[in-house]
């Protein structure tokens, strides 16, 4: 039986193989949506976490794979970071655009981008809308239409999410309990969780996938 952790690590190494690198500028990246911590040295790889999570989810990956310069994105409203501009309105496209802006600011030459779950949705959106900002792409455990996880399409998924928010008293409600059960949700802003969930539930990137020209690796799990 293949150890899935090492399969993912091996796939990451393959996906990142051609990433280029150079020296980022001095000073911090100013953003009201994301923060970025840089670790290691080598070809550049941007890591994007999922819903109600934090960049700490990548600590094991960073520790296991040397020889790369990791850019760990923290999305505002999660992981103890202030919500900033993420407190209201869309999340996915603005974060994708901000990551592309970070790559340009840091002088990254078409870096590899890896996104988990919601981070995968953000990474796909970046590849569709800002293809010049990344050279390779990996998505882990995500669907182009997240509502399919509940057996719904994007139209009914959006309605379901809105209903769940209402029943939860206007905050993340039921989803907050679920994410905390799964090991996430701590130090997250309920407004950002609710907005992101509602947006993801009504999103379907399927029709836009043919626009992706970036080399793409998809990692997913199947029941035994």
């Amino acid at each position: 039986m293949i150890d899935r952790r090492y399969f993912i690590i091996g796939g990451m190494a393959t996906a990142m193989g051609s990433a280029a690198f150079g020296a980022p500028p001095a000073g911090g990246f100013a953003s009201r949506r994301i923060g970025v911590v840089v670790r290691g040295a080598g070809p550049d790889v941007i890591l994007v976490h999922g819903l109600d999570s934090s960049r700490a989810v990548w600590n094991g990956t960073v520790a296991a794979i040397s020889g790369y310069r990791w850019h760990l994105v923290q999305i505002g409203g999660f992981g103890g970071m202030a919500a900033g501009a993420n407190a209201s309105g869309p999340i996915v496209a603005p974060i994708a655009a901000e990551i592309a802006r970070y790559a340009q600011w840091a002088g990254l030459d078409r870096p590899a981008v890896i996104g988990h779950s919601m981070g995968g949705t953000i990474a796909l959106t970046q590849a569709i809308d800002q293809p010049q900002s990344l050279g390779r792409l990996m998505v882990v455990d995500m669907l182009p239409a997240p509502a399919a996880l509940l057996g719904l399409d994007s139209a009914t998924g959006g309605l379901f999410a809105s209903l769940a928010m209402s029943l939860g008293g206007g905050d993340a409600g039921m989803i907050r309990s679920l994410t905390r059960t799964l090991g996430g949700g701590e130090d997250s802003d309920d407004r950002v969780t609710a907005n992101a969930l509602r947006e993801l539930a009504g999103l379907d990137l399927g029709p836009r996938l043919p626009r992706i020209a970036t080399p793409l690796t998809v990692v997913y799990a199947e029941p035994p």
Side-chain angles (χ1 to χ4, degrees), residues 11 29 36 40 53 82 87 115 127 144-145 164 173 185 188 195 212 216 218-219:
F29 175 69
V36 183
S53 186
S188 291
N195 287 339
I212 297 178
L216 170 63
V218 179
V219 179

Side-chain angles (χ1 to χ4, degrees), residues 140-168:
V140 182
D141 290 344
M142 61 80 62
L143 292 173
L149 288 170
L150 299 176
L152 305 173
D153 59 25
S154 57
T156 54
L159 293 173
F160 174 82
S162 296
L163 177 61
M165 297 304 100
S166 299
L167 294 176

Side-chain angles (χ1 to χ4, degrees), residues 81-98:
M81 182 178 173
N86 297 332
S88 62
I91 298 292
V92 173
I95 296 297
E98 197 69 343

Side-chain angles (χ1 to χ4, degrees), residues 11 22 40 54 61 78 95 98 155 159 166 181 197:
S54 77
T61 299
F78 304 131
I95 296 297
E98 197 69 343
L159 293 173
S166 299
T181 298
L197 175 70

Side-chain angles (χ1 to χ4, degrees), residues 165-203:
M165 297 304 100
S166 299
L167 294 176
D171 61 14
M174 175 180 67
I175 303 304
R176 170 67 66 247
S177 299
L178 174 61
T179 53
R180 284 182 176 166
T181 298
L182 295 175
E186 299 296 337
D187 298 322
S188 291
D189 187 313
D190 284 349
R191 299 169 300 171
V192 181
T193 297
N195 287 339
L197 175 70
R198 188 180 293 111
E199 181 180 1
L200 289 167
L203 186 67

